[in-house]
Coordinates of all heavy atoms in Angstrom, one line a residue:
M1 N 70.8 -11.2 37.1 CA 70.1 -11.9 36.0 C 69.3 -13.1 36.5 O 68.3 -13.4 36.1 CB 71.1 -12.2 34.9 CG 70.4 -12.6 33.6 SD 69.6 -11.3 32.9 CE 69.3 -11.9 31.3
E2 N 69.9 -13.8 37.5 CA 69.3 -15.0 38.0 C 67.9 -14.7 38.7 O 67.0 -15.5 38.5 CB 70.2 -15.7 39.1 CG 70.3 -17.2 38.9 CD 71.4 -17.7 39.8 OE1 71.0 -18.0 41.0 OE2 72.5 -17.9 39.4
A3 N 67.8 -13.6 39.4 CA 66.5 -13.3 40.0 C 65.5 -13.0 39.0 O 64.3 -13.4 39.1 CB 66.7 -12.1 40.9
T4 N 65.9 -12.3 37.9 CA 65.0 -12.0 36.8 C 64.5 -13.3 36.1 O 63.3 -13.4 35.8 CB 65.6 -11.1 35.8 OG1 66.1 -9.9 36.4 CG2 64.7 -10.7 34.7
E5 N 65.4 -14.2 35.9 CA 65.0 -15.5 35.3 C 64.1 -16.3 36.2 O 63.1 -16.9 35.7 CB 66.3 -16.3 35.0 CG 67.1 -15.7 33.9 CD 68.4 -16.5 33.7 OE1 68.8 -17.3 34.5 OE2 69.1 -16.2 32.7
A6 N 64.3 -16.2 37.5 CA 63.5 -16.9 38.5 C 62.1 -16.3 38.5 O 61.1 -17.1 38.5 CB 64.1 -16.9 39.9
R7 N 62.0 -15.0 38.4 CA 60.7 -14.3 38.4 C 60.0 -14.7 37.0 O 58.8 -14.9 37.0 CB 60.8 -12.8 38.5 CG 61.1 -12.4 40.0 CD 60.8 -11.0 40.2 NE 61.3 -10.0 39.2 CZ 62.5 -9.4 39.3 NH1 63.3 -9.6 40.3 NH2 62.8 -8.6 38.3
A8 N 60.7 -14.7 36.0 CA 60.1 -15.0 34.7 C 59.6 -16.4 34.7 O 58.5 -16.7 34.1 CB 61.1 -14.8 33.5
L9 N 60.4 -17.4 35.2 CA 60.0 -18.8 35.3 C 58.7 -18.9 36.2 O 57.8 -19.6 35.9 CB 61.1 -19.6 35.9 CG 60.9 -21.1 35.9 CD1 60.6 -21.6 34.4 CD2 62.1 -21.8 36.4
E10 N 58.7 -18.2 37.3 CA 57.5 -18.2 38.2 C 56.3 -17.7 37.5 O 55.2 -18.2 37.5 CB 57.8 -17.4 39.4 CG 56.7 -17.4 40.4 CD 57.0 -16.5 41.7 OE1 58.2 -16.3 41.9 OE2 56.0 -16.1 42.3
A11 N 56.5 -16.6 36.7 CA 55.3 -16.0 36.0 C 54.9 -17.0 34.9 O 53.7 -17.1 34.7 CB 55.8 -14.7 35.3
L12 N 55.8 -17.6 34.2 CA 55.4 -18.6 33.2 C 54.7 -19.8 33.8 O 53.7 -20.2 33.3 CB 56.7 -19.1 32.5 CG 56.5 -20.1 31.4 CD1 55.6 -19.6 30.3 CD2 57.8 -20.6 30.8
N13 N 55.1 -20.3 35.0 CA 54.4 -21.3 35.7 C 53.0 -20.9 36.1 O 52.1 -21.7 36.0 CB 55.2 -21.8 36.9 CG 56.4 -22.7 36.5 OD1 56.4 -23.3 35.5 ND2 57.4 -22.7 37.3
K14 N 52.8 -19.7 36.5 CA 51.5 -19.2 36.9 C 50.6 -19.1 35.6 O 49.4 -19.4 35.7 CB 51.6 -17.8 37.5 CG 52.1 -17.8 39.0 CD 52.2 -16.5 39.6 CE 52.7 -16.5 41.0 NZ 52.8 -15.2 41.6
L15 N 51.2 -18.7 34.5 CA 50.4 -18.6 33.3 C 50.0 -20.0 32.8 O 48.9 -20.1 32.4 CB 51.3 -17.9 32.2 CG 50.6 -17.6 30.9 CD1 49.4 -16.7 31.1 CD2 51.6 -17.0 29.9
I16 N 50.9 -20.9 32.9 CA 50.5 -22.3 32.5 C 49.4 -22.8 33.4 O 48.4 -23.4 32.9 CB 51.8 -23.2 32.6 CG1 52.8 -22.9 31.5 CG2 51.4 -24.7 32.5 CD1 54.1 -23.5 31.6
K17 N 49.5 -22.6 34.7 CA 48.5 -23.1 35.7 C 47.1 -22.4 35.3 O 46.1 -23.0 35.3 CB 48.9 -22.8 37.1 CG 47.8 -23.3 38.1 CD 48.1 -22.9 39.5 CE 47.1 -23.4 40.5 NZ 45.7 -23.2 40.1
Y18 N 47.2 -21.1 35.1 CA 46.0 -20.3 34.8 C 45.3 -20.9 33.5 O 44.1 -21.1 33.4 CB 46.3 -18.9 34.6 CG 45.1 -18.0 34.0 CD1 44.1 -17.7 34.9 CD2 45.1 -17.7 32.7 CE1 43.0 -16.9 34.4 CE2 44.0 -16.9 32.2 CZ 43.0 -16.6 33.1 OH 41.9 -15.9 32.6
N19 N 46.2 -21.2 32.5 CA 45.7 -21.7 31.2 C 45.1 -23.1 31.4 O 44.0 -23.4 30.8 CB 46.9 -21.8 30.2 CG 46.4 -22.1 28.8 OD1 45.3 -21.7 28.5 ND2 47.3 -22.7 28.0
R20 N 45.7 -23.9 32.2 CA 45.1 -25.2 32.6 C 43.7 -25.1 33.2 O 42.8 -25.8 32.9 CB 46.0 -26.1 33.5 CG 47.1 -26.7 32.8 CD 47.8 -27.7 33.7 NE 49.1 -28.0 33.1 CZ 50.3 -28.1 33.8 NH1 50.3 -27.8 35.1 NH2 51.4 -28.4 33.2
D21 N 43.6 -24.2 34.2 CA 42.3 -23.9 34.9 C 41.3 -23.4 33.9 O 40.1 -23.9 33.9 CB 42.5 -22.9 36.0 CG 43.4 -23.4 37.1 OD1 43.6 -24.6 37.2 OD2 43.8 -22.6 37.9
V22 N 41.6 -22.5 33.0 CA 40.7 -22.0 32.0 C 40.2 -23.1 31.1 O 39.0 -23.3 30.8 CB 41.3 -20.8 31.2 CG1 40.5 -20.5 30.0 CG2 41.5 -19.6 32.1
N23 N 41.2 -23.9 30.6 CA 40.8 -25.0 29.7 C 39.9 -26.0 30.4 O 38.9 -26.5 29.8 CB 42.1 -25.8 29.2 CG 42.8 -25.0 28.2 OD1 42.2 -24.1 27.5 ND2 44.1 -25.2 28.0
H24 N 40.2 -26.3 31.7 CA 39.3 -27.2 32.5 C 37.9 -26.7 32.6 O 36.9 -27.4 32.3 CB 39.9 -27.5 33.9 CG 39.0 -28.3 34.7 ND1 38.8 -29.6 34.6 CD2 38.2 -27.9 35.8 CE1 37.9 -30.0 35.5 NE2 37.5 -29.0 36.2
N25 N 37.8 -25.4 32.9 CA 36.5 -24.7 33.0 C 35.8 -24.8 31.6 O 34.5 -24.9 31.6 CB 36.6 -23.3 33.5 CG 37.0 -23.3 35.0 OD1 36.8 -24.2 35.7 ND2 37.6 -22.2 35.4
L26 N 36.5 -24.6 30.6 CA 35.8 -24.6 29.2 C 35.3 -26.0 29.0 O 34.2 -26.1 28.4 CB 36.8 -24.2 28.1 CG 37.2 -22.8 28.1 CD1 38.3 -22.5 27.0 CD2 36.0 -21.9 27.8
Y27 N 36.0 -27.1 29.3 CA 35.5 -28.4 29.1 C 34.3 -28.7 30.0 O 33.3 -29.3 29.5 CB 36.6 -29.5 29.4 CG 37.7 -29.6 28.4 CD1 39.0 -29.4 28.6 CD2 37.3 -29.9 27.1 CE1 40.0 -29.5 27.6 CE2 38.2 -30.0 26.1 CZ 39.6 -29.8 26.3 OH 40.5 -29.9 25.4
V28 N 34.3 -28.2 31.2 CA 33.2 -28.4 32.1 C 32.0 -27.6 31.5 O 30.9 -28.2 31.5 CB 33.5 -27.9 33.5 CG1 32.3 -27.8 34.4 CG2 34.5 -28.8 34.2
D29 N 32.2 -26.4 31.1 CA 31.1 -25.6 30.5 C 30.6 -26.3 29.3 O 29.4 -26.3 29.0 CB 31.6 -24.2 30.2 CG 31.8 -23.3 31.4 OD1 31.4 -23.7 32.5 OD2 32.5 -22.3 31.2
R30 N 31.5 -26.9 28.5 CA 31.0 -27.6 27.2 C 30.2 -28.8 27.6 O 29.1 -29.0 27.0 CB 32.2 -28.0 26.4 CG 31.9 -28.7 25.2 CD 31.1 -27.9 24.2 NE 30.5 -28.7 23.2 CZ 30.9 -28.7 21.9 NH1 31.9 -27.9 21.6 NH2 30.3 -29.5 21.1
D31 N 30.6 -29.5 28.6 CA 29.8 -30.7 29.1 C 28.5 -30.3 29.6 O 27.5 -30.9 29.2 CB 30.6 -31.5 30.1 CG 31.8 -32.2 29.6 OD1 31.9 -32.4 28.4 OD2 32.6 -32.6 30.4
L32 N 28.4 -29.2 30.3 CA 27.1 -28.7 30.9 C 26.2 -28.2 29.7 O 25.0 -28.5 29.7 CB 27.3 -27.6 31.9 CG 27.9 -28.0 33.2 CD1 28.2 -26.8 34.1 CD2 27.0 -28.9 33.9
L33 N 26.8 -27.6 28.7 CA 26.1 -27.1 27.6 C 25.5 -28.3 26.8 O 24.3 -28.3 26.4 CB 26.9 -26.3 26.6 CG 26.3 -25.8 25.4 CD1 25.1 -24.9 25.7 CD2 27.3 -25.0 24.5
D34 N 26.3 -29.4 26.6 CA 25.9 -30.6 25.9 C 24.7 -31.2 26.7 O 23.7 -31.7 26.1 CB 27.0 -31.6 25.7 CG 28.0 -31.1 24.7 OD1 27.7 -30.2 23.9 OD2 29.1 -31.7 24.7
I35 N 24.8 -31.3 28.0 CA 23.8 -31.9 28.8 C 22.5 -31.0 28.7 O 21.4 -31.6 28.6 CB 24.2 -32.0 30.3 CG1 25.3 -33.1 30.4 CG2 23.1 -32.3 31.2 CD1 26.1 -33.1 31.7
T36 N 22.6 -29.7 28.8 CA 21.5 -28.8 28.7 C 20.8 -29.0 27.3 O 19.5 -29.0 27.3 CB 21.9 -27.4 28.9 OG1 22.6 -27.2 30.1 CG2 20.7 -26.4 28.9
I37 N 21.6 -29.1 26.3 CA 21.0 -29.3 24.9 C 20.2 -30.6 24.9 O 19.1 -30.6 24.4 CB 22.1 -29.2 23.9 CG1 22.6 -27.7 23.7 CG2 21.5 -29.7 22.5 CD1 23.8 -27.6 22.9
K38 N 20.8 -31.6 25.4 CA 20.1 -32.9 25.4 C 18.8 -32.9 26.2 O 17.8 -33.5 25.8 CB 21.1 -34.0 26.0 CG 20.6 -35.4 25.8 CD 20.4 -35.8 24.4 CE 19.9 -37.1 24.2 NZ 19.5 -37.4 22.9
I39 N 18.9 -32.3 27.4 CA 17.6 -32.1 28.2 C 16.6 -31.4 27.4 O 15.4 -31.8 27.4 CB 17.9 -31.4 29.5 CG1 18.7 -32.4 30.4 CG2 16.6 -31.0 30.2 CD1 19.3 -31.7 31.7
N40 N 16.9 -30.3 26.8 CA 16.0 -29.5 26.0 C 15.4 -30.4 24.8 O 14.2 -30.3 24.5 CB 16.6 -28.3 25.4 CG 16.8 -27.2 26.5 OD1 16.2 -27.2 27.5 ND2 17.7 -26.3 26.2
E41 N 16.3 -31.2 24.2 CA 15.8 -32.1 23.1 C 14.8 -33.1 23.7 O 13.8 -33.4 23.0 CB 17.0 -32.8 22.4 CG 17.8 -31.9 21.6 CD 19.1 -32.6 21.1 OE1 19.4 -33.7 21.6 OE2 19.8 -31.9 20.3
L42 N 15.1 -33.6 24.8 CA 14.2 -34.6 25.4 C 12.8 -34.0 25.8 O 11.8 -34.6 25.6 CB 14.8 -35.2 26.7 CG 16.0 -36.2 26.4 CD1 16.7 -36.6 27.7 CD2 15.6 -37.4 25.6
V43 N 12.9 -32.7 26.3 CA 11.6 -32.0 26.7 C 10.8 -31.8 25.4 O 9.6 -32.0 25.4 CB 12.0 -30.7 27.4 CG1 10.7 -29.8 27.5 CG2 12.6 -31.0 28.8
V44 N 11.4 -31.4 24.3 CA 10.7 -31.2 23.1 C 10.1 -32.5 22.6 O 9.0 -32.5 22.2 CB 11.7 -30.5 22.0 CG1 11.0 -30.6 20.6 CG2 12.0 -29.1 22.4
D45 N 10.9 -33.6 22.6 CA 10.4 -34.9 22.2 C 9.2 -35.3 23.0 O 8.2 -35.8 22.5 CB 11.5 -35.9 22.3 CG 12.6 -35.8 21.2 OD1 12.4 -35.0 20.2 OD2 13.6 -36.4 21.3
N46 N 9.3 -35.1 24.3 CA 8.2 -35.4 25.2 C 7.0 -34.6 24.9 O 5.9 -35.2 24.9 CB 8.7 -35.1 26.7 CG 7.7 -35.7 27.7 OD1 7.0 -36.6 27.4 ND2 7.7 -35.0 28.9
S47 N 7.1 -33.3 24.6 CA 6.0 -32.5 24.2 C 5.4 -33.0 22.9 O 4.1 -33.0 22.8 CB 6.4 -31.0 24.1 OG 6.9 -30.5 25.3
R48 N 6.2 -33.4 22.0 CA 5.6 -33.9 20.7 C 4.9 -35.2 20.9 O 3.8 -35.4 20.4 CB 6.8 -34.1 19.7 CG 7.3 -32.8 19.1 CD 8.4 -33.1 18.1 NE 9.0 -31.9 17.7 CZ 10.3 -31.8 17.4 NH1 11.1 -32.8 17.4 NH2 10.8 -30.6 17.0
M49 N 5.4 -36.1 21.8 CA 4.7 -37.3 22.0 C 3.4 -37.1 22.7 O 2.4 -37.7 22.4 CB 5.6 -38.3 22.8 CG 6.8 -38.8 22.0 SD 7.6 -40.3 22.7 CE 8.2 -39.6 24.2
R50 N 3.4 -36.2 23.7 CA 2.1 -35.8 24.4 C 1.1 -35.3 23.4 O -0.1 -35.6 23.5 CB 2.4 -34.8 25.5 CG 3.0 -35.4 26.7 CD 3.3 -34.3 27.7 NE 4.0 -34.8 28.9 CZ 3.5 -34.8 30.1 NH1 2.4 -34.3 30.4 NH2 4.3 -35.3 31.1
E51 N 1.6 -34.4 22.5 CA 0.7 -33.9 21.5 C 0.1 -35.0 20.6 O -1.1 -35.0 20.3 CB 1.4 -32.8 20.7 CG 0.5 -32.2 19.6 CD -0.6 -31.4 20.2 OE1 -0.5 -30.9 21.4 OE2 -1.6 -31.2 19.5
Q52 N 0.9 -35.9 20.2 CA 0.5 -37.0 19.4 C -0.5 -37.9 20.1 O -1.5 -38.4 19.6 CB 1.7 -37.9 18.9 CG 2.5 -37.2 17.8 CD 3.7 -38.0 17.4 OE1 4.0 -39.0 18.0 NE2 4.5 -37.5 16.5
L53 N -0.2 -38.2 21.4 CA -1.1 -39.0 22.2 C -2.5 -38.2 22.4 O -3.6 -38.9 22.3 CB -0.5 -39.3 23.6 CG 0.6 -40.3 23.6 CD1 1.2 -40.4 25.0 CD2 0.0 -41.7 23.3
R54 N -2.4 -36.9 22.6 CA -3.7 -36.2 22.7 C -4.5 -36.3 21.4 O -5.7 -36.5 21.5 CB -3.3 -34.7 23.0 CG -4.5 -33.8 23.4 CD -4.2 -32.4 23.5 NE -3.7 -31.8 22.3 CZ -4.4 -31.5 21.2 NH1 -5.7 -31.7 21.2 NH2 -3.9 -30.9 20.2
K55 N -3.8 -36.2 20.3 CA -4.5 -36.3 19.0 C -5.2 -37.7 18.8 O -6.3 -37.8 18.3 CB -3.6 -36.0 17.8 CG -3.3 -34.5 17.7 CD -2.3 -34.3 16.6 CE -2.0 -32.8 16.5 NZ -1.0 -32.5 15.4
L56 N -4.4 -38.7 19.3 CA -5.0 -40.1 19.2 C -6.2 -40.3 20.1 O -7.1 -41.0 19.8 CB -3.9 -41.1 19.6 CG -2.8 -41.3 18.6 CD1 -1.7 -42.2 19.1 CD2 -3.3 -41.9 17.3
D57 N -6.2 -39.6 21.2 CA -7.3 -39.8 22.2 C -8.6 -39.0 21.7 O -9.6 -39.3 22.2 CB -6.9 -39.2 23.5 CG -5.9 -40.1 24.3 OD1 -5.9 -41.3 23.9 OD2 -5.3 -39.7 25.2
E58 N -8.4 -38.1 20.8 CA -9.6 -37.3 20.3 C -10.5 -38.2 19.4 O -10.2 -39.1 18.8 CB -9.1 -36.1 19.5 CG -8.5 -35.1 20.5 CD -8.0 -33.8 19.8 OE1 -7.9 -33.8 18.5 OE2 -7.7 -32.9 20.5

């Protein structure tokens, strides 16, 4: 029974480590997504400002 418990504990520890890794990757992916969204918003804002400047120059 002791060997079975040791294997179960080892499997549980691996599962916990895997879960931590997955959670870390999700946070990193979320941060990258937030950054990408912000960059896209800035590009759109920049395009709008260029369009407004072009209209003013006409």
Side-chain angles (χ1 to χ4, degrees):
M1 192 69 169
E2 223 173 84
T4 302
E5 289 173 351
R7 283 199 315 267
L9 186 58
E10 182 180 338
L12 181 59
N13 284 332
K14 285 181 181 178
L15 184 58
I16 290 169
K17 182 187 180 316
Y18 173 78
N19 193 28
R20 281 190 193 134
D21 291 346
V22 167
N23 284 338
H24 173 73
N25 290 337
L26 288 174
Y27 284 120
V28 169
D29 288 347
R30 178 61 194 255
D31 288 345
L32 289 175
L33 179 61
D34 289 344
I35 290 168
T36 303
I37 290 169
K38 188 62 181 170
I39 289 171
N40 287 337
E41 289 171 350
L42 292 171
V43 168
V44 169
D45 288 347
N46 190 27
S47 296
R48 286 182 186 146
M49 287 195 300
R50 284 178 186 240
E51 182 64 24
Q52 289 176 355
L53 285 173
R54 188 186 62 77
K55 286 179 181 178
L56 288 174
D57 286 342
E58 291 177 347

